Amino acid sequence: MPFSLRGAARAAFASPPEVLGAAHRLARGEDFTTAIRRGTRCGNRRLVVHYHAGGRGDDSPALVGVVVPKKQVPLATRRNRVKRRVRALMAQRVGSLEPGARVVVRGLAGADGADSSTLGRDLDRLLSRCRERQAEGHRRGVGRLRA
């Protein structure tokens, strides 16, 4: 089969960028619930990160879930684009997460027009902030007075 530039360009274009592997994806509802209810929440106008560190002796891989609500980004094509970008960015960062960590990234309306570099900076900032808060023992809702 002869080599063609058109075929090579098509193959390069069709090969996916770095993808979050199945071993690191949140799939069960219980894992989403654990990260959201027990974890630390940090956010800005584009993203919200829910981070729950793994327990001691937990050797399971870090799991990441991405959610973009329809109310935040109404068009499905744009919603899926945000999810793909965030998953690709988290695939680059999943190696730096602690074993057993559960992370849920929620995309907001501001993420729709943001480019990947902006989302990457946001993710780095939010993940480090969540880790600091988790290490200090902060959790959402702890220590607040309810009326």
Side-chain angles (χ1 to χ4, degrees), residues 52-139:
H52 179 67
R56 294 180 189 192
D58 191 356
D59 293 336
S60 63
L63 299 178
V64 177
V66 179
V67 179
V68 182
K70 193 182 232 181
K71 284 189 175 184
Q72 295 291 328
V73 184
L75 297 176
T77 54
R78 292 181 177 208
R79 203 167 47 246
N80 291 332
R81 181 186 314 146
V82 171
K83 285 193 269 189
R84 280 193 310 269
R85 284 183 179 172
V86 172
R87 275 194 209 115
L89 292 167
M90 286 305 297
Q92 298 168 357
R93 291 157 177 78
V94 76
S96 65
L97 298 175
E98 294 83 9
R102 303 293 183 257
V103 180
V104 174
V105 181
R106 186 165 28 110
L108 302 177
D112 184 16
D115 60 349
S116 293
S117 62
T118 303
L119 292 175
R121 284 192 302 272
D122 287 346
L123 275 174
D124 290 337
R125 190 175 310 118
L126 294 173
L127 283 171
S128 65
R129 192 182 311 157
C130 280
R131 285 178 179 165
E132 289 171 6
R133 287 184 183 175
Q134 185 95 34
E136 293 171 0
H138 289 266
R139 275 195 4 224

